[in-house]
Amino acid sequence: MLQAMRIDDSAGTLYEHYVNAQWVRLLDVLQMNASYVRCNGAELHTADGRTILDFNSGYCVHNIGHNHPRVIAALKDELDKAGPAMLQSHLPDLAGKLAARLCELAGGRLSKVFFACSGSEGIEAAIKFARAHTGRPGILCASGGFHGLTCGALSLMSNAFWKEGFGMLLPNTEFISYGDTEELERKLATKSFAAFVLEPIQGEGGVLVPPPGYLAKVQALCRRYGTLFVLDEVQTGLYRTGPFLAAHHFAIEPDMVVLAKALSGGLVPCSAVLMSDAVCVSVYSSLKRALIHTSTFGENSLAMRAGLTTLEVLEDERLGERATRAGEHLRRALVERLAKYEMISEIRGLGLLNAIEFKAPRSFKFRVPFETFAKIHPAIFGQILVMRMFRDHGILNQVCGNDFMVLKISPPLMISDTQLDRFVSAVEQVVDFMHTSGSFWSEALGIAQRVIRSI
Ligand SMILES: Cc1ncc(COP(=O)(O)O)c(C=O)c1O
């Protein structure tokens, strides 16, 4: 009985009690359980008066910055209109407008759009559409990718960690190495795959930029064997890497592209599956099948209005060009300041999707603690890095979900040079500290012990 429970009504306590206690514990262990009261642009303001710089952007949601005033105004206006919402019995004109604009920006074969509410839901649709179009059961994917945590999307992820305990997933899904076209051709030649689904730049896999010519070769092989070429641009789309789609770097024309995250301006859930006419016609093939694949909230007016306004902001503020210039500036500065340290393996990325890859230390003094942490949990080293950036320098980062040795750098695209420079100085100080101070490692040991106690 509710009244019998004595629960503190502060948000954190209710969250812990009713939503996810383990997430609260993890944030506490990492000393990252901040209470945010206001977020604007790249700045997150906390209840205790700190200003944190966001270098994660909610995993590439906040391309236009937090709470953009134009998106907020558009949403208020839309609410004030009190127009039709989710009738499921009419044609939402804003969905038509947003679809037309997305197709114009994407170009190539992409001339139809299905709207949904999350990246995973977009991937689910892409799986169904590819099967409907080709009549084939199989989906081929690149190892190390991240496509979402619903059952279909999860089936397209090779990392066993995400799947453990959830039972049987989709059959007929197979993995090949990202970047390997020989293996790809052997698989495609079986003509059993409806689609090859991959991120053009693997985000959570470690911000892996494809080798030259790889995606063009993938496309040619997919066409040769009748497999649809499907790009998951949930993180890379919406000007994150410079152009509207990362595909535009590589002069390719995929059959489907999934967009989500930044499409909503960070305020309303929204995803879109862009596809060729041919794919759309295969799915919605007759009057009887007019509603064969739908999603109740998919074309809702707030999401559509947020999407349209977000595209306007991205274009008016020329955030793609900004991402290109800022990314070059950032990578140059990081190489200058970090390349000399033995634990730095590589600095890489495109636009404002970047990463610093670390490697195990050679020197005995640091190798012993490093290997100890790796044995306790492979994520500890990366989490200490993230924690220090947050606690000591007020910068929010994350390590990649499928490669814990890679620090991901994905700030809002409107980030200023001064804010980028603040990040570079902070990361230099943390990296220097880990190479010179025993206390980096002794504190890490303390955290490792707390993690062990919490497992
Ligand atoms: C590349 C990629 N695809 C798909 C998804 C799933 O998106 P969502 O969490 O909106 O379902 C994610 C989420 O992080 C992603 O990074």
Side-chain angles (χ1 to χ4, degrees), residues 304-365:
M304 299 299 100
R305 190 72 192 268
L308 279 163
T309 313
T310 300
L311 291 181
E312 282 167 23
V313 170
L314 285 162
E315 289 157 48
D316 293 351
E317 298 185 10
R318 304 169 88 88
L319 291 179
E321 288 159 44
R322 173 73 198 139
T324 302
R325 267 184 291 111
E328 281 162 9
H329 168 81
L330 175 71
R331 287 187 296 279
R332 206 169 31 246
L334 287 172
V335 169
E336 260 170 35
R337 309 270 280 272
L338 299 183
K340 62 178 183 276
Y341 292 98
E342 69 161 277
M343 287 188 69
I344 299 295
S345 172
E346 193 179 27
I347 286 143
R348 58 174 175 256
L350 264 181
L352 277 176
L353 183 58
N354 291 290
I356 304 171
E357 180 169 11
F358 288 81
K359 60 184 176 198
R362 277 189 310 270
S363 53
F364 184 72
K365 191 165 62 153

Side-chain angles (χ1 to χ4, degrees), residues 59 118-121 123 146-148 199 204 232 234-235 260-261:
Y59 298 93
S118 69
S120 307
E121 203 188 344
I123 294 289
F146 194 101
H147 299 295
E199 298 157 86
E204 297 310 308
D232 177 342
V234 167
Q235 288 206 20
K261 296 206 188 266

